[in-house]
Amino acid sequence: MSSKISKRFITALKKKHDEFDCAEYMRKNKFKRLGSGAFSDVYATKVKTQAVKIDHSKDRGYAHFVKLAQKANNKHFAKIHDKVSVNRYINVYLMDRYHGFVTESLAWDIKAAYDYLDLGSDSDNDYYREENKKQYKKIKKKYPSLIKALQLLADHNDGCFYVDLHNRNI
């Protein structure tokens, strides 16, 4: 099992100028796209338990998350094996693939629990604060280690990221 991004792969990406060039390279080299977002694309690797994430613009929030995830000992954070800056815009991460247990409905409950932890009593709306607290208690009872992961995120959120929780991101 590889735990480093190959120099050949990075050299090939260095010749690419933007996200479209990177996506075309990945497609031509038979990498299966697992997902994409505003800042990145994620591809399957030959090692079935790993994925490669290519950020095609500076994503301060994800860089912050990676530092936190590498320090945290929590099963809800994917293990990051390697990170390479290709150029000033493109970063490549080799990580364990995460196969979550989360439905869209549960994702909303988790998002509410995170909002309760992150915002606490600062929320202006009493209704949402109470609803978020209910979801927090529900998740804490069923998934205590997930609450620990959410607490780490809330404690270390310096405003550079938001939690984009949906069933593919949890």
Side-chain angles (χ1 to χ4, degrees):
M1 181 182 297
S2 176
S3 61
K4 292 285 184 194
I5 300 167
S6 78
K7 287 183 175 29
R8 192 179 93 169
F9 181 72
I10 295 302
T11 301
L13 286 183
K14 281 184 178 180
K15 296 175 184 173
K16 310 304 168 198
H17 300 289
D18 59 31
E19 64 190 273
F20 304 107
D21 287 345
C22 286
E24 182 65 13
Y25 170 80
M26 299 300 280
R27 187 187 64 73
K28 282 183 178 176
N29 287 278
K30 311 251 188 282
F31 283 88
K32 179 184 176 195
R33 186 186 304 207
L34 299 173
S36 62
F39 298 110
S40 62
D41 295 299
V42 179
Y43 297 90
T45 66
K46 290 177 183 167
V47 179
K48 292 186 188 293
T49 59
Q50 293 180 344
V52 64
K53 178 175 180 153
I54 302 174
D55 280 349
H56 43 73
S57 65
K58 286 292 182 192
D59 185 355
R60 259 181 23 122
Y62 192 73
H64 183 77
F65 169 76
V66 166
K67 288 178 188 172
L68 177 62
Q70 287 175 322
K71 291 178 187 174
N73 182 19
N74 189 296
K75 68 181 181 180
H76 297 287
F77 294 138
K79 182 174 180 181
I80 311 293
H81 296 283
D82 197 14
K83 176 202 174 224
V84 176
S85 292
V86 175
N87 60 36
R88 67 183 192 172
Y89 300 109
I90 299 172
N91 289 314
V92 179
Y93 301 90
L94 179 65
M95 62 182 54
D96 285 346
R97 284 178 71 174
Y98 184 75
H99 300 284
F101 57 89
V102 179
T103 63
E104 196 71 32
S105 171
L106 181 57
W108 282 107
D109 291 348
I110 293 167
K111 173 77 169 100
Y114 174 79
D115 287 345
Y116 175 74
L117 290 168
D118 192 38
L119 301 174
S121 59
D122 293 341
S123 176
D124 293 335
N125 188 314
D126 289 336
Y127 171 78
Y128 286 114
R129 184 174 50 246
E130 287 306 310
E131 284 302 306
N132 289 348
K133 187 176 183 178
K134 284 181 200 173
Q135 301 312 324
Y136 166 80
K137 287 179 177 181
K138 177 179 161 184
I139 298 298
K140 185 176 182 179
K141 185 176 183 179
K142 195 165 185 178
Y143 306 107
S145 64
L146 180 56
I147 288 295
K148 289 178 182 175
L150 294 174
Q151 186 67 60
L152 276 169
L153 291 173
D155 290 348
H156 293 89
N157 186 356
D158 65 357
C160 73
F161 69 89
Y162 69 100
V163 178
D164 186 14
L165 294 177
H166 52 76
N167 66 344
R168 291 191 183 120
N169 276 6
I170 297 176

